[in-house]
Amino acid sequence: MRFETWSKGIATLEVDCLVVGVYDEGELSEEARAVDSACGGRLKKLLARGDFPGKPAETLLLADLPGLRATRVLLAGLGGKKSFGRKTWRKAWAAAVAALSRTGIESAAVALTRPDAKELDDYYFGRAVAEIAASGLYRINDLKSGKKPKAPRFARVLAGPVPKSAAAAVSRGLAHGAAIAEACKVQRDLANLPGNVCTPLFLAEEARALAKRYRSLRVRVLDEPAIRREKMGCLLAVSQGSAQPPRFLVIEHGGSGAAHPVVLVGKGVTFDTGGISLKDPPAMDEMKFDMSGAAAVIASLTLAAALDLPLRVVGLVAAVENMPDGKAVKPGDIATSASGQTVEILNTDAEGRLILCDALHYARRFQPAAVVDIATLTGACVVALGHHHSGAMGNDEELVAELVAAGVRADDRAWPLPVTEEYAEQLKSNFADFANIGGRDGGAITAAAFLGKFTQGLKWAHLDVAGTAYQGGAQKGSTGRPTPLLADFLIRRAGL
Ligand code: BES
Ligand code: MN
Ligand code: ZN
């Protein structure tokens, strides 16, 4: 998809379609008024008849209006003028993209009224235009055997109106937005694959393939013997019940020099049956998405490479499958983590924290400036926050706040949960240093408290994306979250 800006002369823009906004009860936006006067008042006439009430996310396609270079005009509802802002603008543009993708339109100019600069400045305006357009054209790479529907023709967007003085900021935003959408596609494509295709070995191969495409990336893959040499006993305890061997990926951007890197750690459980503590059947298929954190880490590294971020970033991915088996780990078994601390595995379904604790320990060798792990870690986080916010936790308030702020700017929000010392008491074990579960109460936090046992002395944050990384039901599929949040975090850290 190609992105450019436009500044004035809406009637003369050389695109197939102009996308203009209409408020509640058919009130024209400024750009719609310009179109209306160019075409001799046709829009006003149509709206006076009550044919388009301007409800949020409604669209209406008009063809061959006189006086315009564009052959089509797409009206998009902006809702009430008073409540108009960034949210309704996003909704309107997303609806317009969906409508455009169903037509033969190849190019369009966004001429929706722009939200207040305080809500969406030039840079984030450009970013949102590109991100929403490209993400809206995402299609699941399905394994259906029938004929594939034709790909949308829509491939070129002009964002505006952009005064000359703002063109550079908007263009930068457009480039970043396109890269973020591309990274989200990397995550979504991986996460949407079935567990029998997307195995730990597959993730390793994909990371290698991406490193070929993005020259700045270096990938190292630890196989089972290498993982054993790292003494990752907790990770191995999870994978021992699976016929799929584990893999541990190290993906580096920005060289392996002296700079203290940002280390991203991803939970890559390619399928989570729960193991011997087997899950209930309903919706168990969704546990193919249990590698979404790993996919987000891989995606974020491709983003760092695509934007050539002047920042050292290391991605660590712990990839395993969690299965019940004669050789599987059992409740009560004790494993020794890479840190030397022992863990009584009371519930084999609390496997994410077991692979992450060894991955987080591995992060120490990079002397990181910050460590952020991303994991579909707990159902309790979904109970606490639903599907709108990811859970943000950690041992460093500033880092957690930095991630929360990145999520606000990226429209990919996270909400902080408190990980104070008391919660760790729920992890007491009579037989090992601690247990891997802390009971039902505060489950998202006790999971984080467990990880906190392995991140002492590091600046560490944890994003629980169990409720945000994918959708169930009729819209089942990966959302690409929290890659936009991570992208904003990395772009800012890089000082861009
Ligand atoms: N992958 C799940 C968490 C999960 C649940 C993600 C629902 C997405 C939706 C994780 O491995 C798990 O099973 N967690 C357990 C922990 C419990 C046994 C302490 C859970 O949340 O039930
Ligand atoms: Mn589990
Ligand atoms: Zn899991």
Side-chain angles (χ1 to χ4, degrees):
M1 194 143 212
R2 283 183 300 140
F3 298 98
E4 295 152 56
T5 59
W6 69 271
S7 58
K8 49 179 188 271
I10 193 165
T12 62
L13 292 178
E14 288 194 45
V15 286
D16 295 339
C17 185
L18 304 172
V19 181
V20 296
V22 176
Y23 294 110
D24 242 358
E25 283 161 30
E27 190 190 339
L28 295 177
S29 66
E30 197 183 318
E31 287 75 19
R33 275 204 304 277
V35 169
D36 185 60
S37 45
C39 70
R42 299 260 182 131
L43 291 189
K44 266 204 192 110
K45 211 160 153 190
L46 177 113
L47 294 166
R49 291 184 186 132
D51 290 350
F52 188 73
K55 293 245 161 53
E58 269 186 13
T59 60
L60 181 67
L61 186 65
L62 308 171
D64 302 315
L65 296 179
L68 302 174
R69 196 72 185 255
T71 49
R72 285 85 129 192
V73 170
L74 185 72
L75 302 182
L78 302 176
K81 199 170 187 173
K82 278 208 200 93
S83 59
F84 175 72
R86 172 174 175 149
K87 240 201 192 131
T88 31
W89 178 88
R90 285 183 69 93
K91 219 170 173 180
W93 177 225
V97 169
L100 291 170
S101 71
R102 289 190 290 267
T103 70
I105 289 167
E106 190 267 335
S107 59
V110 197
L112 295 162
T113 293
R114 283 181 53 179
D116 203 284
K118 278 202 298 285
E119 288 207 30
L120 202 65
D121 68 12
D122 292 323
Y123 167 72
Y124 280 99
F125 166 70
R127 215 164 100 171
V129 166
E131 197 185 322
I132 291 168
S135 293
L137 297 182
Y138 177 80
R139 298 290 178 270
I140 291 178
N141 189 9
D142 64 56
L143 299 173
K144 294 179 184 176
S145 60
K147 227 173 95 198
K148 293 263 176 210
K150 271 209 190 111
R153 301 243 316 256
F154 187 36
R156 185 166 156 253
V157 176
L158 268 61
V162 177
K164 284 272 162 346
S165 61
V170 174
S171 298
R172 206 164 56 85
L174 288 168
H176 287 189
I180 292 168
E182 189 61 34
C184 287
K185 179 176 160 30
V186 168
Q187 176 180 347
R188 295 169 85 177
D189 279 346
L190 284 173
N192 283 330
L193 285 170
N196 63 326
V197 173
C198 185
T199 59
L201 289 184
F202 183 91
L203 279 181
E205 286 317 311
E206 282 300 294
R208 280 210 180 98
L210 285 166
K212 277 219 179 92
R213 192 154 100 213
Y214 297 96
R215 301 293 298 280
S216 77
L217 297 183
R218 287 210 355 236
V219 174
R220 229 158 8 104
V221 177
L222 275 59
D223 60 8
E224 196 164 347
I227 292 170
R228 208 169 290 285
R229 282 196 293 278
E230 292 294 336
K231 300 191 164 57
M232 296 186 176
C234 287
L235 187 157
L236 289 167
V238 177
S239 81
Q240 76 189 38
S242 172
Q244 300 292 339
R247 286 293 183 268
F248 190 87
L249 319 184
V250 184
I251 313 168
E252 294 189 66
H253 163 82
S256 47
H260 297 294
V262 169
V263 178
L264 303 177
V265 179
K267 170 179 174 182
V269 176
T270 59
F271 196 80
D272 180 13
T273 64
I276 296 299
S277 313
L278 194 63
K279 286 182 182 295
D280 280 340
M284 205 210 272
D285 66 288
E286 291 177 10
M287 284 301 117
K288 73 173 186 177
F289 296 116
D290 214 17
M291 36 57 73
S292 295
V297 169
I298 294 170
S300 297
L301 273 122
T302 65
L303 177 105
L307 294 181
D308 200 14
L309 293 185
L311 180 75
R312 191 175 167 216
V313 187
V314 177
L316 302 178
V317 167
V320 302
E321 188 183 61
N322 188 21
M323 295 288 279
D325 179 76
K327 293 202 283 286
V329 73
K330 306 172 293 299
D333 285 2
I334 293 177
T336 303
S337 69
S339 73
Q341 300 178 100
T342 57
V343 179
E344 186 184 14
I345 299 172
L346 289 177
N347 189 319
T348 66
D349 197 11
E351 84 297 341
R353 60 198 79 182
L354 294 173
I355 66 172
L356 289 174
C357 73
D358 282 342
L360 287 166
H361 182 75
Y362 191 91
R364 285 183 189 279
R365 72 191 58 194
F366 298 99
Q367 296 179 296
V371 181
V372 182
D373 78 72
I374 303 99
T376 47
L377 202 64
T378 66
C381 191
V382 190
V383 174
L385 296 175
H387 302 282
H388 303 294
H389 289 83
S390 305
M393 288 151 270
N395 62 8
D396 187 278
E397 262 184 56
E398 267 176 51
L399 179 59
V400 171
E402 191 180 344
L403 291 166
V404 168
V408 170
R409 289 189 300 264
D411 284 303
D412 177 11
R413 286 171 302 170
W415 201 262
L417 296 172
V419 193
T420 47
E421 319 77 64
E422 306 89 286
Y423 291 94
E425 285 162 28
Q426 288 173 234
L427 299 168
K428 283 205 169 120
S429 160
N430 286 352
F431 305 100
D433 292 341
F434 18 82
N436 75 329
I437 53 168
R440 223 171 55 108
D441 301 343
I445 303 175
T446 52
F450 179 90
L451 299 177
K453 299 282 188 190
F454 299 85
T455 53
Q456 275 157 5
L458 297 173
K459 280 187 197 300
W460 158 74
H462 157 63
L463 293 172
D464 192 332
V465 295
T468 52
Y470 66 91
Q471 283 183 284
Q475 297 298 312
K476 195 186 290 182
S478 170
T479 60
R481 294 178 67 185
T483 289
L485 179 160
L486 293 169
D488 196 278
F489 170 71
L490 293 177
I491 288 168
R492 287 265 169 149
R493 281 254 167 170
L496 293 191

